[in-house]
Amino acid sequence: MARKSTAAVDLLQEKVPRKRQSAYANLANKDLQDVLIAPRERSLAYVIPPDANVQEILRSARNAFYKDDNVIGVGLGPRRVNHRTRPGEFALIIYVQQKLPESALSPARLIPKEFMGLKTDVVEPLAPSAPKTAVDYQVDHQLMHDMSSIDWGRLHDLTMRHEGPIVPHPVKVQDFGDICVIEDDGTLIKTAANGEQYTDWVRGYQLFRTLHGDDYDFVTFFTDTASGMLPQGGSSFWSGIYNNVQGIGLGAFNSRGSWGTNRLQGFHFMNQGHFPLWRYVMGQEFCHQFAAFVRYRDPVTNATMTDHLLNGVLGHWALNLDDDKSPMDYDFNNWIELSNGQFQKVNLTDEERTYCNLDLYLMGLLGANEVGEFTLLRNPQPVGGSTTTFTATPARLNIQNFIAQEGPRIPGAAAAPKYWRQAFIVLTKDIHKVHDLVDTIDFLRLRWELDFPGMTKGLGRIDTVLDARPGRITPSQIAELTGGGYTALHRHKISSNDLQVVTTQFTGSLNPGQTHTWFTHSWPLDWFVVWSLRPTTNGGKIKWDVAVERAANNTHTYHLTVTNVGTGATNFEAKYAVLK
């Protein structure tokens, strides 16, 4: 498929860089220059209007262009000309297996120069000329968005039409602790219409299912490049499989049929070059299932706005949005508002990354009334020759500005999941030589389970253990789990934080004779939870009652009714123990 133009087109999309922290300052300064300079260079022909119904355009583009088996995805991104990005120019990208000359196509297969008001570009993401590694962050990181925007379920289905049924033969799928390792049986690497090879992630999931059930919300792939598996252009990426959440600006989609799943929401590929930035990159790829796609309604002009998004395009928070320490931006800074009205840009490390309140709302972990205010820096200008201190016109935003544009999040925080299951999968050519890589990934897996509660302010939990966790445990098993070293119960190294036996859920205060009910929601059904409420004020005396409700989203809600039976006001703490 081709455009009615002979111009070559390419695509750039911001993603996490491979380079280490030493180069971050220069890149961040370059990002800020783009914020200040790019709008003056922008061609009016290649813009994405803030009020464009992007999700409807993408849906309509799939309906229109998927009639051609050569089309394997659609997306939005920066325009490329002669393999170089054009600053500030963006288009509707049509991804094809093979870019053909116009003379070889029927009129029905030509991509129009415009579609629903947007300029179009045609990109061959699996082209022979596409770089195989991300050598230059500023030039090559468009590969990451290419990989994310490919419709992998569609590509798998199209390939299977031509390949025919898979001939059954022995497959090596083995669990190394809580990492599933799959040796390529000759079906993991496919060949596109242009002759280039690519990894068939759907086939990888099918092989994973020969050993495991359909019990995961996300699967995360790694490739053993030392054994000959493909490197994916040095990128890490998220690809959505299913979404029915409203109010997050993402739109509904469903590719579960191609994947043969009733549960998967998305998959990730994590590149080994990003291991030194694990918390940042894994945090970003995971949260792409929810952010950053929302637009907002300007509180003064009532106009639809996208200036809080990087280059005004869906996917990442902009440099000039004070998103706290969110991994969903594409810079390495945090803004600090100074007492003189100026703003200071402070460098962040990987370990400091935490989701901001807007991220947590979009993930369903915070209610709308809990988000608070955040600041967008309009017209940021450096003070003197400084690269860290700026003047700006602050725009104070709150969640209602986003709800006014996108509608409320449905399901809201009361009903949204707080717990996700995630499987880690390594694809290799030689299952006997992958142990060192598996050990590294298992360490990162454990880090992710421990990092996630901290990144979500204790509101969310990730479970990366394959299959079911052990049944109800005994006191001696608790001692084994928390004693350090290796254990047969979990098949991986346990730290003292791996199982929190007793934790404070909340605190409260009551006057003499006062009774009040608190509730706490989204507890997994397989947890056996014991509550203990205790006064923390000298002389305080309370009694409590616990009621449990099974919620519509298959979790438990606990209602704790507490009465102060003492003679004075008292504070108390509500502690729980999980026995499974």
Side-chain angles (χ1 to χ4, degrees):
M1 183 167 287
R3 290 188 60 206
K4 296 179 181 178
S5 169
T6 59
V9 290
D10 290 312
L11 174 64
L12 168 68
Q13 177 71 11
E14 293 71 17
K15 210 66 175 172
V16 179
R18 182 177 181 178
K19 296 188 177 181
R20 292 175 179 257
Q21 294 279 4
S22 59
Y24 292 172
N26 290 335
L27 296 180
N29 291 337
K30 173 65 165 61
D31 287 341
L32 186 58
Q33 292 171 8
D34 288 345
V35 170
L36 300 175
I37 296 172
R40 294 198 295 268
E41 299 177 350
R42 180 171 297 152
S43 167
L44 294 179
Y46 285 89
V47 297
I48 309 296
D51 59 354
N53 190 337
V54 169
Q55 301 306 332
E56 176 60 24
I57 292 172
L58 293 176
R59 187 191 66 80
S60 298
R62 293 185 188 100
N63 289 339
F65 302 130
Y66 276 16
K67 297 174 183 177
D68 186 344
D69 287 353
N70 193 35
V71 177
I72 56 174
V74 298
L76 298 178
R79 180 189 180 210
R80 288 182 294 189
V81 176
N82 296 326
H83 300 281
R84 295 185 65 85
T85 60
R86 296 295 293 265
E89 297 186 11
F90 300 88
L92 173 66
I93 310 298
I94 312 301
Y95 291 96
V96 296
Q97 292 195 64
Q98 190 173 21
K99 204 169 182 179
L100 302 171
E102 184 175 341
S103 60
L105 298 171
S106 66
R109 296 182 63 197
L110 290 174
I111 297 294
K113 292 183 177 180
E114 291 190 8
F115 183 82
M116 295 183 69
L118 300 185
K119 293 288 187 180
T120 62
D121 275 349
V122 176
V123 170
E124 185 180 351
L126 306 175
S129 60
K132 299 302 183 288
T133 58
V135 179
D136 185 328
Y137 161 70
Q138 293 293 339
V139 175
D140 293 337
H141 70 290
Q142 70 270 14
L143 298 172
M144 303 169 188
H145 186 256
D146 292 349
M147 296 297 102
S148 182
S149 296
I150 292 173
D151 188 334
W152 293 100
R154 174 177 171 81
L155 181 56
H156 171 82
D157 290 343
L158 292 172
T159 302
M160 294 308 298
R161 291 182 195 175
H162 301 291
E163 288 190 352
I166 297 174
V167 179
H169 58 278
V171 178
K172 292 181 180 178
V173 182
Q174 180 179 339
D175 289 346
F176 287 54
D178 286 307
I179 307 296
C180 182
V181 179
I182 301 172
E183 185 175 84
D184 183 18
D185 64 343
T187 64
L188 285 177
I189 296 178
K190 301 292 175 61
T191 301
N194 59 9
E196 285 297 292
Q197 292 185 320
Y198 66 92
T199 301
D200 186 347
W201 307 111
V202 176
R203 179 57 180 163
Y205 181 69
Q206 289 176 344
L207 293 176
F208 171 79
R209 287 290 306 279
T210 64
L211 194 62
H212 297 285
D214 187 25
D215 302 322
Y216 303 90
D217 302 293
F218 299 94
V219 290
T220 302
F221 289 102
F222 304 79
T223 54
D224 179 16
T225 53
S227 71
M229 295 301 295
L230 301 178
Q232 317 307 319
S235 64
S236 295
F237 61 88
W238 157 84
S239 184
I241 295 172
Y242 177 84
N243 177 62
N244 67 345
V245 178
Q246 302 175 41
I248 62 174
L250 187 56
F253 53 82
N254 187 356
S255 297
R256 283 176 170 173
S258 297
W259 286 76
T261 177
N262 292 313
R263 180 162 178 176
L264 275 185
Q265 299 179 47
F267 81 92
H268 321 110
F269 170 75
M270 297 298 290
N271 184 271
Q272 294 181 46
H274 290 149
F275 285 0
L277 298 172
W278 174 253
R279 178 170 171 138
Y280 180 18
V281 182
M282 187 69 257
Q284 179 172 120
E285 303 310 336
F286 180 87
C287 195
H288 271 317
Q289 184 72 31
F290 311 100
F293 307 101
V294 286
R295 301 167 295 170
Y296 74 92
R297 198 75 58 83
D298 188 279
V300 177
T301 66
N302 206 39
T304 300
M305 303 295 291
T306 57
D307 55 346
H308 65 299
L309 298 171
L310 189 61
N311 292 316
V313 180
L314 307 180
H316 301 86
W317 304 133
L319 173 66
N320 56 325
L321 176 68
D322 185 7
D323 59 359
D324 199 12
K325 300 175 182 178
S326 172
M328 302 311 298
D329 56 24
Y330 207 62
D331 56 76
F332 305 92
N333 312 292
N334 184 25
W335 289 106
I336 304 296
E337 187 167 359
L338 304 177
S339 58
N340 61 1
Q342 297 177 352
F343 296 85
Q344 186 175 23
K345 188 174 64 173
V346 179
N347 286 339
L348 288 174
T349 67
D350 172 62
E351 296 300 320
E352 293 179 280
R353 293 291 181 168
T354 58
Y355 294 115
C356 68
N357 282 1
L358 180 55
D359 298 330
L360 297 175
Y361 167 81
L362 296 171
M363 295 168 74
L365 298 178
L366 274 185
N369 62 340
E370 301 174 285
V371 176
E373 184 182 82
F374 40 95
T375 302
L376 178 68
L377 280 62
R378 290 179 174 166
N379 192 32
Q381 299 292 333
V383 176
S386 176
T387 59
T388 59
T389 305
F390 295 80
T391 60
T393 302
R396 312 295 185 183
L397 302 176
N398 60 59
I399 198 61
Q400 294 305 323
N401 302 126
F402 292 89
I403 292 176
Q405 178 62 42
E406 306 289 356
R409 190 193 195 279
I410 302 174
K418 311 296 184 295
Y419 161 89
W420 295 274
R421 296 203 70 198
Q422 180 178 355
F424 282 48
I425 304 171
V426 175
L427 308 180
T428 183
K429 289 283 189 180
D430 191 342
I431 203 168
H432 303 295
K433 298 180 180 179
V434 74
H435 301 81
D436 289 346
L437 177 59
V438 168
D439 284 346
T440 299
I441 293 172
D442 193 44
F443 171 79
L444 296 173
R445 177 189 66 81
L446 285 167
R447 269 199 57 191
W448 176 233
E449 277 203 4
L450 295 174
D451 282 344
F452 191 75
M455 294 179 72
T456 60
K457 301 181 180 179
L459 299 172
R461 186 168 74 93
I462 292 288
D463 181 353
T464 64
V465 172
L466 292 176
D467 292 329
R469 289 185 180 271
R472 187 173 301 172
I473 58 179
T474 66
S476 63
Q477 289 174 324
I478 291 176
E480 180 180 349
L481 285 170
T482 58
Y486 286 88
T487 170
L489 293 175
H490 257 189
R491 309 187 308 280
H492 64 237
K493 191 171 184 178
I494 301 298
S495 71
S496 60
N497 294 323
D498 194 79
L499 178 64
Q500 294 183 355
V501 180
V502 176
T503 303
T504 298
Q505 174 70 356
F506 65 91
T507 60
S509 180
L510 292 170
N511 292 321
Q514 183 182 3
T515 297
H516 189 76
T517 299
W518 284 261
F519 72 92
T520 173
H521 58 80
S522 301
W523 293 82
L525 296 179
D526 62 339
W527 282 20
F528 187 83
V529 183
V530 176
W531 292 94
S532 177
L533 278 66
R534 309 184 303 180
T536 55
T537 301
N538 289 337
K541 187 177 182 181
I542 64 172
K543 68 176 182 179
W544 74 91
D545 182 52
V546 181
V548 60
E549 172 189 5
R550 181 157 181 154
N553 64 341
N554 288 324
T555 63
H556 280 152
T557 298
Y558 291 94
H559 300 266
L560 308 175
T561 301
V562 190
T563 301
N564 182 349
V565 295
T567 58
T570 185
N571 299 321
F572 70 91
E573 61 182 356
K575 303 181 77 72
Y576 67 88
V578 177
L579 302 185
K580 181 179 179 182

